[in-house]
Amino acid sequence: MANKEIEEILKKYGRQMDQRYGSMNPAEIPEVSAEQSSREFSQFKSDMMPQFSKYERMCNNLGGFIKLKLASKDAERIQKDLSSAHLEVTPSQVVSLAMMFFILAFLGGIMLTVAIYLITLNFSFLLLFLFLVAAGFLFYYFYTKPARLANQWRLKAGSQMVPCILYTVVYMKHTSNLERAIRFASMHLDPPLSLDLKKVFWDV
């Protein structure tokens, strides 16, 4: 029963592909140059997932003010998340950005507490403690940001696996070429899985 249902699904998508793309010759699929792929990669991150590009810009702009040397285990873990999220920053920049926000929030809290003390002559340890907690929260938030972005990327890509497999199988029934089938799927899938498939070719 399952095989019959699979055949029906493949026939259905096969007819849709023939109607939409016609009898496509594999040679007709345009090649993607390195320059074009680089533009597509940048355009994708800025249009489809602006929070990725925004965080990347923050790391590049603010992550270099404090030079930190991380333990190899921490650097490897952060780098793994950065690679999964396709972020072009370093683990040191991630931690430096988190430390910058911690320092700015804590110093801002101290200055505000001192200003209130000079005005009211009443020093509030509770207010200073709350700013310290807020600074710690900001450090944790930006320190774990790559892990959350990587998880978000994986969830979005995972939800597209079924149409990706269907595109690949249907194309291979049309033309038995795995590389072109993967490229065909990457051209007609939505981000982010389409970018992962394109990077298979871009990296090669």
Side-chain angles (χ1 to χ4, degrees):
M1 183 65 180
N3 292 334
K4 185 177 179 181
E5 292 178 351
I6 293 173
E7 286 295 329
E8 291 177 354
I9 292 173
L10 293 178
K11 289 179 180 178
K12 174 185 175 182
Y13 277 86
R15 288 193 298 268
Q16 291 181 0
M17 191 177 77
D18 286 336
Q19 292 174 0
R20 183 174 180 182
Y21 306 110
S23 57
M24 179 179 290
N25 189 329
E28 296 176 357
I29 301 179
E31 296 291 338
V32 180
S33 65
E35 182 180 358
Q36 180 182 356
S37 68
S38 179
R39 289 198 304 268
E40 288 181 0
F41 181 81
S42 301
Q43 190 68 29
F44 161 78
K45 289 198 298 183
S46 60
D47 291 346
M48 300 304 300
M49 291 186 174
Q51 67 271 30
F52 282 68
S53 296
K54 184 177 180 181
Y55 179 74
E56 192 175 77
R57 287 194 299 269
M58 291 173 64
C59 286
N60 289 324
N61 294 332
L62 301 177
F65 285 97
I66 302 176
K67 302 297 182 181
L68 298 174
K69 186 176 182 180
L70 306 180
S72 58
K73 183 178 180 180
D74 293 334
E76 290 176 2
R77 175 175 53 80
I78 296 174
Q79 184 59 52
K80 182 179 179 181
D81 293 330
L82 293 174
S83 299
S84 298
H86 299 265
L87 294 171
E88 298 178 356
V89 297
T90 64
S92 177
Q93 288 177 315
V94 171
V95 180
S96 296
L97 179 66
M99 186 61 69
M100 281 287 296
F101 274 97
F102 176 84
I103 294 174
L104 291 175
F106 187 61
L107 290 179
I110 291 177
M111 289 188 292
L112 182 59
T113 303
V114 171
I116 293 175
Y117 170 73
L118 294 176
I119 295 173
T120 64
L121 299 179
N122 183 18
F123 190 83
S124 176
F125 287 99
L126 177 60
L127 182 61
L128 185 61
F129 174 75
L130 291 177
F131 274 108
L132 178 60
V133 172
F137 171 78
L138 286 175
F139 176 84
Y140 176 80
Y141 176 82
F142 285 99
Y143 181 78
T144 58
K145 184 74 170 178
R148 292 195 302 276
L149 292 177
N151 188 50
Q152 180 180 349
W153 189 288
R154 285 191 290 267
L155 288 174
K156 286 181 177 292
S159 66
Q160 297 173 310
M161 286 304 299
V162 172
C164 173
I165 294 172
L166 287 172
Y167 269 123
T168 304
V169 173
V170 169
Y171 187 91
M172 289 193 68
K173 288 176 70 69
H174 185 273
T175 303
S176 298
N177 188 301
L178 178 60
E179 293 81 1
R180 292 186 180 275
I182 293 175
R183 186 169 63 177
F184 177 81
S186 72
M187 291 169 61
H188 298 96
L189 284 171
D190 294 327
L193 186 57
S194 60
L195 181 64
D196 286 327
L197 294 178
K198 287 178 181 179
K199 282 185 68 64
V200 172
F201 297 95
W202 298 348
D203 293 340
V204 172

